[in-house]
Amino acid sequence: MEKTYKRTEVTAVFDIGKTNKKFFLFDKNFKEVYREYTLLDEMVDEDGYPAENLQQLQQWLKGMLDRILHAEEYKVTAINFSSYGASFVHVDEKGNVLTPLYNYTKPVPEEVAKEFYDTYGDTLSFATETASPQAGMLNSGMQLYWIKKTKPEIFKKIKYSLHFPQYLSYLFTGIPLSDYTSIGCHTGLWNYKTNDYHSWVYKEEIDRKLPPIVPSETSLSMTYKRRKIKIGVGIHDSSAALLPYILSEKKPFLLVSTGTWSISLNPFNQEPLSVEDVENNCLNYMRTDGKRVKATRFFMGNEYKIQVKKLGEYYGKAYGYHREVKFNKRLYQRLISNSSMHFKFEGIRLRRKKLNKTDLAPFSTFEEAFHQLMIELMELQVETSRRAIGNSTINKIFIDGGFTDNDVFVKLMAYHFQDFKVRTTKNSLGSALGAAMVISEEKPGPKFLKKTYKMEKLAPLLLSPERDAV
């Protein structure tokens, strides 16, 4: 007699980071039942600058989904997508991709940026209106302006410029759309004061290239490979990572989402950004309902990776050794008793004393130098998180992402935020879970975070009184 399977109904999520490409399956209770990661080769654009390999990515996406659709144990009822923002895919009227997916770290030519700000206002006033501090291609609207001014023939051919999460959805639906979370993430496209595209978008006729805006909760009932599947429109990863907390936690909180960027997200501060905020790298993200999220960020994970690799080379340790370093209270107290800076940061733009070079001579071991590195990174973390909190009545901080496994980082967070309830999420599913939730009709219960994320309460780190000043 042939064996029959009871197939589990699941939502499939593609979570596309700059490094890891991830695939998840969640059941109707948002429990993860399957995951798979892959790494893809980068390509380069016409200037030799690193770029996402869209062809490889497309092959992996479709191959992965086809494999799961044929799996006997799962029945895919819905699909959604989360990915990094500040990135566009430009397609012609036949859906053909016209350019590489330009890297958001690619420099914008100075003359292009100068022409833009000479025409549309000084950088500070523009940044307060759009909640987008000047950051080159990271303000993805600038990419469209750059293409129009330097590649006019390509610009003419563009039928749609799709934000990256919506392009992933478009691959499966063929329907071009935009969503608020992608438009609102430091693109320079959205005027938060008028709640519409900024006037420059209309003056440059860029609005004609941007597909209709729909809420992030939108899903399309499609027939894919002869199966009826609900397909989401995609969501920006930072907004997606925030969503499980918003849906589950009723009291105000700050989320510190760690990874390549450390982003402090405050969804309970609706105030417009001030000039001082912008000067200190504050920005807004957008919730799925279009409301502001006050945020600060810095390139912590990127800098950490650069510096840890150098420490390994200096002290003769294999890459990965840093993951085993545990917090040493006595060592930490000794280092802060003679506070000074030793690391020249390479990718962080926040205002801090500039060093000509990194000085590791005072540190005899990898562990000492690693603690010093974390002290210097933590100074920026504290500054950015406190700015995101502002005057909000928040008494709880959630930390999720890669740095929850860094013992030194979480202990220092517990020390610097002793007046807050600090929780780490040991089983954070970040943006993938948010992407599944946003298109689901099911809502999580009040115990969802504690049960699903394996919350760990951090006890305040107390030092001897004479050492408390950092």
Side-chain angles (χ1 to χ4, degrees), residues 18 57 135 196 199 336 340 383 437 448 468:
K18 283 185 77 69
L57 177 62
D196 190 5
S199 58
I336 64 170
S340 57
E383 178 188 328
M437 284 180 157
F448 176 78
D468 271 353

Side-chain angles (χ1 to χ4, degrees), residues 192-461:
Y192 275 84
K193 295 177 180 177
T194 63
N195 206 31
D196 190 5
Y197 284 123
H198 195 279
S199 58
W200 83 265
V201 177
Y202 294 107
K203 287 175 183 172
E204 296 290 343
E205 299 185 341
I206 279 170
D207 59 300
R208 298 183 183 184
K209 310 290 186 182
L210 302 172
I213 303 170
V214 295
S216 310
E217 294 86 356
T218 303
S219 58
L220 307 163
S221 295
M222 306 289 295
T223 300
Y224 181 81
K225 298 287 179 82
R226 298 190 298 279
R227 292 169 173 83
K228 287 191 175 179
I229 300 175
K230 185 168 72 171
I231 302 180
V233 299
I235 181 171
H236 179 252
D237 56 8
S238 294
S239 298
L242 186 60
L243 195 61
Y245 296 90
I246 289 176
L247 293 176
S248 309
E249 181 68 30
K250 300 306 177 191
K251 294 182 180 178
F253 62 85
L254 180 79
L255 174 63
V256 179
S257 180
T258 63
T260 303
W261 293 85
S262 176
I263 307 174
S264 295
L265 297 150
N266 179 357
F268 303 95
N269 188 323
Q270 302 294 315
E271 296 173 0
L273 297 185
S274 66
V275 169
E276 184 186 358
D277 285 332
V278 170
E279 287 178 331
N280 285 278
N281 209 34
C282 278
L283 64 157
N284 283 151
Y285 286 86
M286 213 184 278
R287 289 167 57 158
T288 58
D289 57 7
K291 290 181 180 176
R292 292 174 184 255
V293 175
K294 186 174 183 179
T296 53
R297 58 157 191 228
F298 74 111
F299 223 3
M300 182 173 74
N302 181 73
E303 190 67 43
Y304 176 78
K305 188 175 181 180
I306 292 169
Q307 299 297 343
V308 161
K309 188 176 179 183
K310 289 185 174 184
L311 290 184
E313 291 167 356
Y314 186 88
Y315 292 99
K317 303 292 185 184
Y319 188 81
Y321 179 81
H322 62 283
R323 298 190 186 103
E324 308 304 318
V325 178
K326 300 298 181 187
F327 179 72
N328 184 315
K329 186 174 178 179
R330 291 180 66 184
L331 174 57
Y332 174 65
Q333 288 189 289
R334 180 162 58 80
L335 290 171
I336 64 170
S337 68
N338 186 22
S339 180
S340 57
M341 288 173 53
H342 294 268
F343 284 87
K344 178 188 178 184
F345 288 165
E346 298 185 15
I348 291 176
R349 296 179 181 173
L350 294 181
R351 291 182 292 188
R352 73 190 288 266
K353 181 182 173 185
K354 295 284 190 296
L355 299 180
N356 292 325
K357 64 178 182 177
T358 294
D359 177 20
L360 298 177
F363 312 113
S364 58
T365 66
F366 182 100
E367 285 75 8
E368 278 189 72
F370 182 81
H371 274 68
Q372 180 63 32
L373 171 64
M374 294 312 302
I375 287 168
E376 294 186 31
L377 287 173
M378 184 54 62
E379 287 178 1
L380 300 178
Q381 180 65 70
V382 170
E383 178 188 328
T384 54
S385 290
R386 289 200 179 278
R387 188 165 289 279
I389 292 169
N391 296 322
S392 305
T393 53
I394 284 173
N395 68 352
K396 186 177 285 187
I397 297 174
F398 295 115
I399 308 169
D400 80 4
F403 278 78
T404 59
D405 293 327
N406 184 317
D407 190 56
V408 182
F409 178 83
V410 296
K411 293 289 198 315
L412 293 185
M413 284 293 289
Y415 171 61
H416 285 284
F417 293 96
Q418 293 175 38
D419 296 335
F420 294 79
K421 296 175 182 176
V422 183
R423 304 283 187 270
T424 61
T425 54
K426 287 297 182 186
N427 194 30
S428 169
L429 298 162
S431 48
L433 181 57
M437 284 180 157
V438 75
I439 60 167
S440 174
E441 294 173 9
E442 302 289 331
K443 297 303 172 194
K447 301 287 186 184
F448 176 78
L449 278 181
K450 189 173 182 181
K451 184 171 69 174
T452 306
Y453 276 17
K454 294 183 172 63
M455 289 282 175
E456 183 177 315
K457 181 179 180 180
L458 294 181
L461 175 67

Side-chain angles (χ1 to χ4, degrees), residues 6-261:
K6 185 181 179 183
R7 301 171 78 198
T8 303
E9 292 193 357
V10 292
T11 296
V13 174
F14 288 100
D15 184 17
I16 307 303
K18 283 185 77 69
T19 304
N20 290 312
K21 319 302 175 190
K22 309 166 195 173
F23 177 79
F24 294 86
L25 295 177
F26 296 98
D27 69 12
K28 64 181 181 180
N29 298 314
F30 306 116
K31 180 183 177 185
E32 177 198 335
V33 296
Y34 183 84
R35 75 164 68 186
E36 190 168 321
Y37 287 19
T38 193
L39 297 170
L40 301 178
D41 300 325
E42 277 190 325
M43 57 174 288
V44 293
D45 65 20
E46 66 272 16
D47 299 317
Y49 205 84
E52 188 78 61
N53 192 323
L54 279 180
Q55 187 174 1
Q56 257 192 31
L57 177 62
Q58 183 173 335
Q59 289 170 352
W60 178 73
L61 290 165
K62 296 200 169 180
M64 184 76 245
L65 184 58
D66 287 352
R67 181 151 55 86
I68 290 296
L69 288 176
H70 288 96
E72 293 180 313
E73 62 265 49
Y74 303 116
K75 180 183 179 183
V76 177
T77 60
I79 310 168
N80 206 5
F81 312 86
S82 65
S83 79
Y84 58 88
S87 303
F88 273 117
V89 180
H90 311 285
V91 298
D92 65 15
E93 60 185 10
K94 294 182 179 178
N96 300 313
V97 177
L98 291 167
T99 71
L101 194 160
Y102 293 112
N103 196 314
Y104 61 57
T105 61
K106 180 183 175 76
V108 174
E110 283 185 23
E111 63 274 13
V112 173
K114 184 178 185 304
E115 180 186 338
F116 180 87
Y117 287 107
D118 283 350
T119 307
Y120 294 111
D122 68 273
T123 56
L124 279 178
S125 59
F126 182 83
T128 56
E129 289 174 357
T130 61
S132 306
Q134 184 182 8
M137 287 278 197
L138 205 54
N139 308 134
S140 54
M142 186 64 76
Q143 180 188 136
L144 279 161
Y145 185 83
W146 166 69
I147 291 174
K148 183 178 181 182
K149 296 299 179 182
T150 64
K151 305 173 189 292
E153 293 308 310
I154 288 176
F155 186 80
K156 285 177 187 174
K157 292 178 183 177
I158 295 174
K159 177 66 174 175
Y160 294 112
S161 292
L162 295 155
H163 294 277
F164 194 27
Q166 283 66 59
Y167 171 72
L168 299 174
S169 175
Y170 173 79
L171 282 174
F172 294 89
T173 67
I175 299 173
L177 295 167
S178 302
D179 98 302
Y180 286 111
T181 66
S182 292
I183 295 167
C185 72
H186 49 78
T187 61
L189 293 168
W190 194 254
N191 188 328
Y192 275 84
K193 295 177 180 177
T194 63
N195 206 31
D196 190 5
Y197 284 123
H198 195 279
S199 58
W200 83 265
V201 177
Y202 294 107
K203 287 175 183 172
E204 296 290 343
E205 299 185 341
I206 279 170
D207 59 300
R208 298 183 183 184
K209 310 290 186 182
L210 302 172
I213 303 170
V214 295
S216 310
E217 294 86 356
T218 303
S219 58
L220 307 163
S221 295
M222 306 289 295
T223 300
Y224 181 81
K225 298 287 179 82
R226 298 190 298 279
R227 292 169 173 83
K228 287 191 175 179
I229 300 175
K230 185 168 72 171
I231 302 180
V233 299
I235 181 171
H236 179 252
D237 56 8
S238 294
S239 298
L242 186 60
L243 195 61
Y245 296 90
I246 289 176
L247 293 176
S248 309
E249 181 68 30
K250 300 306 177 191
K251 294 182 180 178
F253 62 85
L254 180 79
L255 174 63
V256 179
S257 180
T258 63
T260 303
W261 293 85

